[in-house]
């Protein structure tokens, strides 16, 4: 049963496995880089083996240092860690996709990552600015065919720089563009999107399942309002009365219930917390089980509500978007 699944993983469509519970590492700018390094070391000591980051988060040097220290002290081997990074839109030109990955690998002091994702479906003007803008403050996009970007991702996998490749923040139509690409060598193993009881992504989950693509959920507990891309004044998920009633019934925390909701749907869940106590609590999520009635009640909380803004169109609702 669930209590025996402390290190439970799911098999991806390329044969590799991914731990169902991961640690998200995006943090508000107020958080010191040294805190990220300490948090990763704590997380590995607690038992986390799945760590999710990205070029955009600007913390891979600290994460790499923490992982290398835990390898050096014998806590883990490199193969014990499942590490995800993402290629940002300014590197979507095919000749830049591997460059982005090699930058991450150098910072991480690793020879490969376990999962490399397209961070979002839009190509941005190449350069060092994460959000290139014109004189009117509008984002400058690039005319890159995502299918050619995907071919460069496939090359990274073939060359052993990443074990698996996937996407993030894609909707069904955008996924279909990749899936229907002539000469497709590897389809995405996963689609990482904002997903929580207020935005349960049921249609997208069904679509992904039908194509043997895993859904990976970020913002599973809501999101930190200090982040500049988080929409302000949204209802706080962890204060929801239904969620709290279920938590009280099981003598668990609302966060544990929100995480287990995803795991029991077959969704990989990323939990973002640098607090040692909360990291420990979140890691105890496999020690109980939600009933079918609990799951039905949590399904009923869906309101198609995003916590994270669409960073490029300005839309703030009804989208599977953002970065955690």
């Amino acid at each position: 049963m669930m209590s025996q699944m402390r290190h439970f993983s799911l098999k991806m469509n390329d044969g590799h496995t991914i731990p169902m519970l991961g640690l998200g590492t995006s943090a508000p700018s107020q958080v010191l880089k040294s805190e990220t390094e300490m948090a990763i070391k704590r997380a590995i000591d607690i038992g986390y083996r799945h760590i999710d980051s990205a070029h955009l988060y600007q913390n891979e040097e600290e994460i790499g240092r923490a992982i290398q220290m835990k390898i050096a002290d014998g806590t883990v081997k490199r193969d014990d860690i499942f590490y995800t990074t993402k290629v940002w839109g300014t590197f979507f030109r095919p000749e830049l996709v591997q460059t982005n990955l090699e930058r991450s690998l150098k910072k991480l002091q690793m020879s490969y990552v376990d999962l490399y994702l397209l961070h979002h479906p839009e190509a941005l003007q190449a350069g060092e600015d994460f959000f290139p803008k014109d004189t009117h403050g509008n984002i400058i996009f690039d005319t890159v065919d995502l299918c050619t970007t995907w071919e460069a991702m496939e090359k990274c996998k073939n060359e052993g720089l990443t074990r698996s490749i996937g996407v993030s923040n894609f909707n069904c139509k955008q996924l279909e563009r990749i899936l229907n690409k002539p000469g497709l060598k590897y389809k995405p193993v996963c689609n990482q999107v904002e997903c929580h009881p207020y935005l349960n992504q049921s249609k997208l989950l069904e679509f992904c399942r039908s194509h043997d693509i895993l859904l990976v959920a970020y913002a599973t507990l809501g999101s930190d309002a200090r982040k500049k891309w988080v929409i302000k004044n949204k209802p706080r998920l962890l204060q929801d009365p239904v969620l709290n009633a279920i938590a009280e019934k099981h003598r668990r925390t609302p966060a544990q219930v929100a995480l287990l909701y995803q795991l029991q749907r077959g969704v990989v869940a990323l939990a973002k917390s640098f607090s040692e106590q909360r990291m420990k609590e979140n890691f105890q999520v496999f020690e109980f089980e939600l009933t079918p009635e609990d799951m039905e009640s949590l399904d009923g909380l869906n309101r198609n509500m995003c916590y994270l803004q669409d960073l490029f169109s300005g839309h703030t609702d009804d989208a599977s978007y953002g970065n955690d």
Side-chain angles (χ1 to χ4, degrees):
M1 295 299 288
M2 296 293 289
S3 60
Q4 299 169 332
M5 297 179 182
R6 179 60 66 89
H7 297 292
F8 192 62
S9 298
L10 291 175
K11 185 168 276 193
M12 300 184 288
N13 62 41
D14 65 353
H16 292 297
T17 57
I18 182 171
M20 288 192 77
L21 182 64
L23 184 76
T25 63
S26 169
S29 55
Q30 303 97 304
V31 175
L32 298 173
K33 300 293 185 186
S34 57
E35 285 186 45
T36 301
E37 187 174 333
M38 285 299 301
I40 299 302
K41 287 191 281 191
R42 278 193 216 106
I44 290 172
D45 286 339
I46 289 166
Y48 287 85
R49 297 294 179 261
H50 176 179
I51 297 165
D52 180 275
S53 190
H55 173 64
L56 177 68
Y57 303 166
Q58 302 179 70
N59 60 11
E60 291 194 298
E61 221 167 299
E62 291 76 22
I63 292 172
R65 200 154 51 231
I67 291 172
Q68 296 306 326
M69 287 175 73
K70 297 319 292 182
I71 291 172
D73 73 12
T75 305
V76 289
K77 298 184 178 72
R78 169 62 187 94
D79 281 352
D80 296 329
I81 299 292
F82 186 99
Y83 185 82
T84 301
T85 192
K86 310 176 188 81
V87 55
W88 186 240
T90 52
F91 289 84
F92 272 21
R93 291 184 184 180
E95 66 273 18
L96 297 178
V97 170
Q98 187 169 320
T99 303
N100 187 216
L101 180 50
E102 286 171 346
R103 282 191 183 186
S104 288
L105 289 171
K106 186 177 180 182
K107 290 175 182 174
L108 293 161
Q109 305 171 61
M110 292 179 184
S111 59
Y112 70 92
V113 296
D114 297 273
L115 180 58
Y116 193 33
L117 305 180
L118 294 179
H119 204 148
H120 57 86
E122 283 89 358
L124 305 175
Q125 178 181 267
E128 293 306 311
D129 288 341
F130 286 116
F131 297 95
K133 294 180 180 177
D134 61 22
T135 53
H136 301 291
N138 299 312
I139 293 283
I140 305 172
F141 294 95
D142 201 353
T143 52
V144 178
D145 182 348
L146 277 181
C147 289
T148 64
T149 307
W150 187 253
E151 286 171 5
M153 298 284 283
E154 292 178 323
K155 187 181 174 191
C156 289
K157 177 174 167 68
N158 282 337
E159 294 191 6
L161 299 175
T162 181
R163 288 186 168 172
S164 302
I165 52 176
V167 300
S168 181
N169 300 308
F170 274 51
N171 61 31
C172 297
K173 285 183 182 177
Q174 290 158 345
L175 271 170
E176 280 178 334
R177 280 189 62 199
I178 303 292
L179 294 170
N180 296 332
K181 186 187 88 65
L184 183 72
K185 290 190 183 76
Y186 308 112
K187 63 182 181 180
V189 296
C190 70
N191 184 18
Q192 185 183 125
V193 296
E194 178 179 349
C195 187
H196 43 76
Y198 285 169
L199 180 71
N200 68 21
Q201 301 281 17
S202 57
K203 289 180 182 176
L204 184 60
L205 176 57
E206 189 179 333
F207 176 86
C208 287
R209 277 181 182 149
S210 72
H211 291 279
D212 196 20
I213 295 170
L214 290 176
L215 202 70
V216 178
Y218 67 75
T220 51
L221 310 178
S223 199
D224 192 333
R226 294 177 298 169
K227 294 178 184 176
K228 61 184 177 183
W229 51 78
V230 171
I231 305 162
K232 312 306 176 194
N233 304 317
K234 290 278 184 171
R236 293 183 64 181
L237 175 68
L238 297 184
Q239 292 179 354
D240 185 90
V242 172
L243 192 66
N244 276 268
I246 294 170
E248 193 173 332
K249 181 178 79 171
H250 291 280
R251 296 183 180 179
R252 297 286 172 171
T253 68
Q256 288 171 331
V257 172
L259 287 172
L260 189 54
Y261 170 68
Q262 301 294 358
L263 304 181
Q264 289 190 201
R265 300 165 83 212
V267 173
V268 176
L270 301 177
K272 162 64 185 70
S273 177
F274 285 178
S275 154
E276 184 172 10
Q277 179 59 32
R278 286 198 290 271
M279 281 196 285
K280 283 179 179 175
E281 287 174 356
N282 293 342
F283 198 68
Q284 292 164 353
V285 67
F286 296 108
E287 295 176 359
F288 71 111
E289 193 164 1
L290 297 172
T291 67
E293 293 76 21
D294 294 335
M295 293 296 288
E296 190 177 339
S297 296
L298 292 166
D299 281 338
L301 294 179
N302 184 61
R303 51 179 85 176
N304 293 324
M305 189 200 87
C306 290
Y307 282 104
L308 294 109
Q309 299 177 44
D310 180 329
L311 298 175
F312 307 108
S313 74
H315 297 158
T316 56
D317 278 303
D318 305 330
S320 56
Y321 229 103
N323 311 284
D324 193 31

